[in-house]
Amino acid sequence: MAKGDSVAFEELYRRTSPWMAVRLRRRCADEQVVAEVMQETYLAVWRAAGAFAGTTAGGTAVGWLWTIAARRLVDAFRRRAHHAEPPPAAAVRSLAPAAEEEALAASVGGDVGDALRRLAPELRQVLQAMVLDGLTVRETSVLLGVPEGTVKTRARRARTALRKALA
């Protein structure tokens, strides 16, 4: 892809777009916003493919792709908040666990996994956004639809609860 191979880009899109769409929909119920973020993400990936440091920097293509998408989603929320009301259902959660929560539960085992599963959902959401997705406090605030101070408080409470559980 870095050399302009459109077939490689199509393959990346074919393999990652279903997963990306599901993950974005878990954070935003507005299909138009999800479609815009998907388009902006893959356009950015195509344009910046040569800049991806890859495994030499300890990263993965999927992680790089998700970082771009998450930041584009936050940007979309900011644009929308600037022009209208907050995005509808920005933090809507269904009763079924998110795919990434199930993956986290499967990949993080033992005492750490147990401690994470025992966290309150709102604390786990903040840790997921800040630690797993690499978002800033401000981006997490916009994504979850809560004030920045609340994000900081929840992050502190989550870390304290994890320390106690693991002590």
Side-chain angles (χ1 to χ4, degrees):
M1 233 175 60
K3 296 176 182 175
D5 183 353
S6 62
V7 174
F9 176 76
E10 289 170 10
E11 183 66 16
L12 175 76
Y13 182 83
R14 186 187 65 74
R15 289 184 183 192
T16 61
S17 64
W19 162 83
M20 180 69 65
V22 167
R23 198 159 183 195
L24 289 169
R25 283 186 195 112
R26 298 287 298 170
R27 288 166 170 76
C28 179
D30 188 330
E31 284 297 320
Q32 183 178 358
V33 172
V34 170
E36 288 173 13
V37 169
M38 292 275 294
Q39 184 175 10
E40 290 175 9
T41 298
Y42 284 101
L43 180 61
V45 166
W46 175 252
R47 288 179 176 165
F52 174 60
T55 55
T56 59
T60 65
V62 172
W64 179 63
L65 184 66
W66 174 245
T67 300
I68 293 170
R71 291 176 192 247
R72 295 287 192 260
L73 183 60
V74 169
D75 291 344
F77 286 166
R78 284 185 184 140
R79 282 192 304 271
R80 187 174 247 196
H82 182 69
H83 297 298
E85 295 181 22
V92 169
R93 299 288 178 204
S94 66
L95 296 177
E100 57 267 18
E101 288 174 2
E102 290 177 358
L104 175 64
S107 65
V108 179
D111 294 337
V112 175
D114 292 340
L116 282 171
R117 284 186 284 283
R118 284 193 301 265
L119 283 178
E122 65 274 7
L123 301 181
R124 197 169 40 250
Q125 288 172 347
V126 168
L127 277 185
Q128 177 183 332
M130 294 179 72
V131 176
L132 297 179
D133 296 340
L135 301 179
T136 65
V137 170
R138 174 169 281 166
E139 291 166 339
T140 301
S141 169
V142 172
L143 182 66
L144 298 178
V146 297
E148 288 181 39
T150 302
V151 170
K152 291 176 184 177
T153 300
R154 288 179 182 175
R156 184 174 34 79
R157 286 179 48 210
R159 288 181 180 116
T160 301
L162 284 176
R163 275 190 213 108
K164 280 184 183 178
L166 297 172

